[in-house]
């Protein structure tokens, strides 16, 4: 599988949010403002890419060699949690406004199933380290793209007339479903 194919398929065809339905909590929770969504997308991109590299190396160098594959999930979660703590500390120092805007959703990157899902799928698919990097980066860019798209749409909801029964979360779910259907159009791409 070529690196370009891996990248395009994870961003558009197999988008973790809109095709695999992973990471829905931050997708709906942080998507009210484009600025917040962009910050979350950057943080998730950093964590997913770096955690995939580290977990790949740990899997191949330690777990596989010592026959400890059954510890994969626990070890991967510990790596992800440490990286999220690092991102949280850096963001608190460099951008306190974004840090407070993300609120509880920043520590929740640890439990974001996209991060763990990408790390585990990289191993299950038998990707090399370079393929792992491209898959992780593509998956996180796809997550960020979906997050920024829905946040732009949700910002427009504030200025248009929406029936009272659909205001807030219901219209966000309808929008997410329509975005998912729209992304099905990318299926023939790869």
């Amino acid at each position: 599988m070529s690196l370009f194919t891996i990248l395009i398929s994870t961003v558009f065809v197999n988008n973790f949010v809109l095709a695999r339905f992973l990471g829905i909590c931050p997708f709906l929770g942080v998507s009210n403002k484009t600025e917040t969504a962009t910050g979350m997308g950057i943080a998730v991109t950093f964590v997913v890419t770096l955690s995939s590299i580290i977990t790949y190396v740990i899997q191949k160098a330690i777990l596989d060699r010592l026959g400890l594959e059954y510890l994969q999930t626990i070890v991967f979660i510990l790596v992800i949690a440490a990286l999220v703590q690092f991102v949280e500390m850096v963001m608190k120092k460099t951008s306190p406004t974004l840090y407070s805007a993300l609120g509880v959703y920043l520590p929740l990157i640890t439990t974001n199933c996209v991060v763990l899902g990408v790390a585990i799928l990289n191993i299950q698919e038998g990707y090399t380290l370079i393929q792992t990097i491209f898959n992780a980066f593509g998956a996180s860019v796809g997550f960020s793209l979906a997050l920024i798209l829905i946040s732009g749409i949700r910002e427009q909801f504030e200025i248009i007339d929406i029936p009272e029964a659909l205001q807030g979360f219901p219209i966000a779910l309808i929008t997410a479903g329509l975005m998912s259907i729209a992304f099905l159009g990318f299926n023939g791409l790869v």
Side-chain angles (χ1 to χ4, degrees):
M1 194 178 239
S2 79
L3 299 177
F4 182 73
T5 305
I6 290 172
L7 192 63
I8 293 300
S9 70
T10 54
V11 172
F12 297 108
V13 180
N14 297 318
N15 186 293
F16 275 79
V17 176
L18 300 173
R20 296 182 186 230
F21 305 111
L22 296 174
I24 298 296
C25 178
F27 174 69
L28 293 171
V30 185
S31 61
N32 289 327
K33 300 279 181 211
T34 305
E35 181 182 349
T36 309
T38 304
M40 177 61 98
I42 292 168
V44 167
T45 299
F46 177 77
V47 170
V48 168
T49 305
L50 197 56
S51 68
S52 291
I53 294 168
I54 294 170
T55 55
Y56 178 87
V57 171
I58 289 173
Q59 179 75 35
K60 298 299 179 188
I62 299 171
L63 298 179
D64 287 349
R65 287 193 180 164
L66 298 176
L68 300 172
E69 295 88 0
Y70 60 91
L71 293 175
Q72 180 187 61
T73 304
I74 295 169
V75 171
F76 286 12
I77 289 173
L78 289 174
V79 168
I80 292 164
L83 282 171
V84 169
Q85 287 299 310
F86 175 73
V87 168
E88 194 172 353
M89 289 186 309
V90 168
M91 197 173 287
K92 190 174 187 178
K93 294 262 186 212
T94 60
S95 181
T97 308
L98 181 60
Y99 176 79
S100 63
L102 289 173
V104 72
Y105 292 101
L106 188 58
L108 284 178
I109 294 175
T110 303
T111 59
N112 186 344
C113 50
V114 169
V115 183
L116 182 61
V118 171
I120 290 175
L121 283 172
N122 287 332
I123 302 301
Q124 288 179 349
E125 294 291 328
Y127 288 148
T128 64
L129 180 59
I130 299 299
Q131 289 173 325
T132 294
I133 293 168
F134 273 78
N135 187 55
F137 182 73
S140 55
V141 166
F143 176 83
S144 300
L145 175 68
L147 195 61
I148 292 168
L149 286 174
I150 197 167
S151 68
I153 295 168
R154 288 182 76 179
E155 282 182 351
Q156 295 300 309
F157 289 160
E158 294 176 11
I159 59 174
I160 61 174
D161 188 30
I162 297 174
E164 188 177 335
L166 295 177
Q167 289 177 2
F169 202 63
I171 195 71
L173 288 174
I174 292 169
T175 304
L178 292 173
M179 286 176 62
S180 181
I181 292 169
F183 267 65
L184 283 175
F186 293 118
N187 273 345
L189 212 62
V190 288

